[in-house]
Amino acid sequence: MFLAIEEMRQNKLRYGLILGLLILISYLVFFLTGLAYGLMQENRTAIDKWQADSILVSSEANQLITASKIDAGLIENVEADQKALIRQQAGVAYVDEDASSDDKEKVTILAVEAASFLEPNVVEGRLYEKIGEVVVDKTLSEIDGFGLGQKVYLSGTDEQVTIVGYTDNAYFGVAPVIYMDIAAFSELMQAEQQGVASDLASAIVVRGQASAVPDELENVAIADFIENLPGYTAQNLTFGFMIGFLILISAVVIGIFIFVLTTQKSQIFGLMKIQGLSNAYISGSVLSQTFLLAGLGTLVGLGGTYLSSLVLPSAVPFENNWGFYLFIGAALILFALLGASFSIRSIFKVDPLQNLS
């Protein structure tokens, strides 16, 4: 380790360039990980709040709540520890009646059964109590006109709704959730005018084991339901491959740099062998240099990612996950060591006798 540190001190520019490259690569990997995890959470946080085991959707809906319409009365035929109706509708919210498309916010409306486990937790304000009152995700509070007590328009109704409370971590389909009572949904959203019966629901959410499920319904485990969300799996696979290839690229890059440096120092290695230093000691020095460079580059890149997360606007779906970061950081260091291990072979080939002439 002493030899590795001393050589790096004597060649600050050379090793500084390698360190800078590793910092940039690790920063990019960690930042992409934060974006991938943030997007993943914005697809499912509202579902995670249910703490449910399964969801019953229409057997013809292909496990999608967005395509599911069921008779609300079917809930009476389902046996479960806890069960509750839910109605989902994608929409937009806006402050001014003549708002342009740029001034409208994409939202997901979740109408849930009163006094059920689906009712949102309220972090500020209060829960809705009558028709026209809603609870919204707190991120909407950062938009002008979406404060407590203010009225906004929702697509599908001519009536304004009043924001009476904020909840947290309520995103579905990469859109903030607006909660309301399911009994008020039909009247407020003018379901009859849209050709939708008022006694319909989108699904039945179940805690525990569901039994006596009618043939019209399909029992879908929550994990499978989340995986089947539109774009969820494809998005995660895309980011996973990007991050994996970046880790491999970083290993190749550092392996090439270390190999070139090792080749350039063949005469020095020959003199070291003449002085009695073993191949194992010299190889350990090269691996120590790689470990220090990769470790320091990973730590600085991680620190830069965390600082970036503090200044990113809320509109950017970024979320830190330290478990992912720890795994990826270890992978970056491990693959860097593997890349550098290819240069060790050249150390064993150095003939000390060639340096006597």
Side-chain angles (χ1 to χ4, degrees):
M1 183 67 75
F2 170 78
L3 182 61
I5 296 176
E6 188 62 27
E7 184 179 3
M8 291 170 65
R9 288 179 57 189
Q10 296 296 326
N11 299 275
K12 296 183 179 64
L13 179 60
R14 178 182 298 175
Y15 288 99
L17 291 174
I18 299 176
L19 178 61
L21 182 63
L22 290 174
I23 291 173
L24 293 175
I25 291 176
S26 62
Y27 175 82
L28 180 59
V29 172
F30 287 130
F31 195 83
L32 282 176
T33 302
L35 283 176
Y37 184 69
L39 279 171
M40 180 177 69
Q41 292 300 100
E42 287 198 355
N43 271 293
R44 60 177 292 173
T45 51
I47 302 173
D48 292 335
K49 288 164 72 75
W50 300 344
Q51 297 181 354
D53 295 292
S54 62
I55 183 170
L56 308 181
V57 297
S58 170
S59 57
E60 300 175 351
N62 195 27
Q63 300 185 357
L64 295 173
I65 192 173
T66 53
S68 176
K69 292 292 184 291
I70 65 173
D71 185 348
L74 290 174
I75 192 172
E76 302 298 332
N77 301 327
V78 177
E79 297 179 7
D81 296 336
Q82 289 181 280
K83 55 187 178 180
L85 291 169
I86 188 170
R87 196 161 183 174
Q88 182 270 345
Q89 178 174 302
V92 295
Y94 47 97
V95 177
D96 299 321
E97 188 174 5
D98 56 349
S100 64
S101 58
D102 293 336
D103 297 324
K104 295 180 179 180
E105 300 296 326
K106 178 185 175 183
V107 297
T108 294
I109 300 169
L110 292 183
V112 299
E113 193 171 352
S116 70
F117 60 88
L118 296 180
E119 283 190 336
N121 63 303
V122 178
V123 297
E124 188 176 346
R126 62 175 175 82
L127 192 64
Y128 43 77
E129 297 175 351
K130 58 184 180 180
I131 296 175
E133 292 183 344
V134 296
V135 171
V136 305
D137 184 77
K138 192 171 177 61
T139 56
L140 287 173
S141 66
E142 301 175 9
I143 302 173
D144 291 339
F146 285 82
L148 286 178
Q150 293 185 296
K151 296 180 179 294
V152 298
Y153 290 95
L154 296 178
S155 57
T157 176
D158 296 329
E159 302 292 331
Q160 287 181 298
V161 296
T162 303
I163 299 173
V164 296
Y166 292 129
T167 186
D168 59 350
N169 298 322
Y171 265 73
F172 181 90
V174 201
V177 172
I178 293 180
Y179 289 93
M180 65 177 66
D181 183 75
I182 194 169
F185 180 88
S186 297
E187 182 174 346
L188 180 66
M189 305 306 292
Q190 302 175 3
E192 289 82 0
Q193 296 182 20
Q194 299 178 38
V196 180
S198 59
D199 59 348
L200 289 183
S202 296
I204 302 171
V205 183
V206 175
R207 283 182 178 177
Q209 184 70 30
S211 58
V213 178
D215 294 337
E216 299 94 327
L217 302 179
E218 181 180 1
N219 191 355
V220 184
I222 287 295
D224 296 333
F225 175 71
I226 292 174
E227 288 295 324
N228 201 44
L229 291 174
Y232 181 82
T233 301
Q235 167 196 294
N236 292 340
L237 286 175
T238 300
F239 275 101
F241 276 112
M242 289 173 61
I243 293 168
F245 278 119
L246 279 173
I247 293 175
L248 291 176
I249 289 171
S250 67
V252 172
V253 169
I254 193 171
I256 292 173
F257 272 99
I258 297 299
F259 179 79
V260 171
L261 290 176
T262 302
T263 304
Q264 291 177 343
K265 294 184 293 184
S266 58
Q267 292 185 346
I268 297 176
F269 291 150
L271 292 175
M272 289 181 178
K273 290 184 178 181
I274 292 174
Q275 294 174 353
L277 298 180
S278 64
N279 286 325
Y281 182 85
I282 299 173
S283 300
S285 174
V286 172
L287 291 177
S288 297
Q289 282 181 350
T290 305
F291 178 79
L292 289 173
L293 289 170
L296 185 57
T298 299
L299 286 176
V300 175
L302 179 58
T305 302
Y306 175 71
L307 293 177
S308 297
S309 69
L310 299 179
V311 298
L312 287 173
S314 59
V316 179
F318 188 96
E319 188 170 342
N320 292 308
N321 185 302
W322 298 103
F324 284 172
Y325 288 165
L326 180 62
F327 173 79
I328 290 173
L332 283 170
I333 296 173
L334 176 62
F335 277 88
L337 290 173
L338 289 175
S341 65
F342 290 101
S343 64
I344 293 177
R345 184 180 178 185
S346 63
I347 296 175
F348 284 80
K349 291 183 177 181
V350 174
D351 185 1
L353 297 178
Q354 294 180 354
N355 294 276
L356 294 178
S357 56

